Amino acid sequence: LAKTTQPVSMDSYEGQEVNITCSHNNIATNDYITWYQQFPSQGPRFIIQGYKTKVTNEVASLFIPADRKSSTLSLPRVSLSDTAVYYCLVENYGQNFVFGPGTRLSVLP
Amino acid sequence: GAGVSQSPSNKVTEKGKDVELRCDPISGHTALYWYRQSLGQGLEFLIYFQGNSAPDKSGLPSDRFSAERTGGSVSTLTIQRTQQEDSAVYLCASSLSLTGRDTEAFFGQGTRLTVV
């Protein structure tokens, strides 16, 4: 079972770029890396998914090194509305869909 | 519907009563997941379904918890003889697939269960 490790919390200011790194040392060949965002009183929401190298969408970028033992979610120019908990998930082939404790991001004015 | 629907949105029950929580996944999604989230805490995985089958029930907190899924669609999570520690938000999610690229999970808004 691939286990993920993320910082418990991070602070940033509006307009800054935020990078959240997740460690997943036991990632398997078939595993994808997925990030979710959760606001209070809501279910998590998909942000981005990748397998290797770099993936970019309209919301974020995901950087995955060649060994795939970690990944970094990059949020460009954060705003107050980006304050949320961010979860890194490594999907295990045919196994449980287990979330780690997440990173609580606070964006300050 | 367009998204994952859960009902009821709120449930207050007396200790010792049974409750049934319902999840309507997105049409065509073969994978379905149940989670529980206590106030200010992370997501606790409970169980997943591939079609109507739940291969691993070890995530259920106790034998008072059970879940089923019928017709590859609707799922119910049943808690028997509820206890105060069962109070939490119960979240359901579904995805096209359990593996590969189609694993993006879509979550419902949850059922807030309060046991008094």
Side-chain angles (χ1 to χ4, degrees):
Chain A
L1 191 67
K3 184 176 180 179
T4 60
T5 305
Q6 303 173 234
V8 173
S9 63
M10 294 180 68
D11 290 339
S12 181
Y13 292 95
E14 280 192 294
Q16 288 189 332
E17 178 183 80
V18 171
N19 295 309
I20 306 174
T21 297
C22 177
S23 297
H24 26 80
N25 292 318
N26 298 323
I27 190 168
T29 303
N30 293 324
D31 290 343
Y32 279 73
I33 300 156
T34 312
W35 286 79
Y36 288 83
Q37 174 191 57
Q38 187 179 27
F39 297 113
S41 303
Q42 294 186 23
R45 183 178 71 172
F46 173 89
I47 302 175
I48 196 167
Q49 183 183 69
Y51 184 79
K52 62 180 178 180
T53 62
K54 177 183 175 181
V55 180
T56 298
N57 62 21
E58 65 277 7
V59 176
S61 294
L62 179 60
F63 299 92
I64 304 169
D67 66 5
R68 303 200 329 120
K69 292 183 184 298
S70 67
S71 58
T72 299
L73 175 72
S74 181
L75 304 172
R77 300 178 297 281
V78 294
S79 64
L80 295 176
S81 62
D82 292 317
T83 293
V85 178
Y86 291 82
Y87 295 95
C88 165
L89 178 66
V90 173
E91 174 258 321
N92 289 274
Y93 191 85
Q95 298 297 317
N96 298 342
F97 215 63
V98 179
F99 282 68
T103 297
R104 188 173 299 275
L105 173 66
S106 297
V107 180
L108 308 172
Chain B
V4 177
S5 178
Q6 292 187 246
S7 60
S9 55
N10 280 285
K11 177 72 176 178
V12 179
T13 189
E14 293 181 351
K15 178 181 174 181
K17 299 283 189 183
D18 297 352
V19 294
E20 194 171 275
L21 312 179
R22 177 187 170 103
C23 173
D24 280 276
I26 293 173
S27 178
H29 281 195
T30 60
L32 184 146
Y33 319 84
W34 282 99
Y35 296 85
R36 153 169 100 170
Q37 189 168 38
S38 301
L39 188 62
Q41 301 300 308
L43 290 154
E44 177 187 2
F45 175 84
L46 299 179
I47 194 170
Y48 79 96
F49 288 88
Q50 173 67 4
N52 293 331
S53 174
D56 183 0
K57 300 181 180 179
S58 62
L60 294 174
S62 75
D63 58 9
R64 296 185 294 105
F65 287 72
S66 62
E68 65 173 14
R69 188 180 185 193
T70 56
S73 181
V74 173
S75 176
T76 55
L77 178 68
T78 302
I79 309 173
Q80 295 178 312
R81 305 180 303 282
T82 53
Q83 303 294 314
Q84 288 185 329
E85 60 264 27
D86 298 334
S87 296
V89 175
Y90 289 80
L91 289 159
C92 174
S94 70
S95 64
L96 270 173
S97 172
L98 269 176
T99 63
R101 295 185 181 185
D102 293 326
T103 55
E104 176 185 348
F106 296 82
F107 282 79
Q109 290 302 302
T111 293
R112 182 175 299 278
L113 175 66
T114 304
V115 182
V116 297

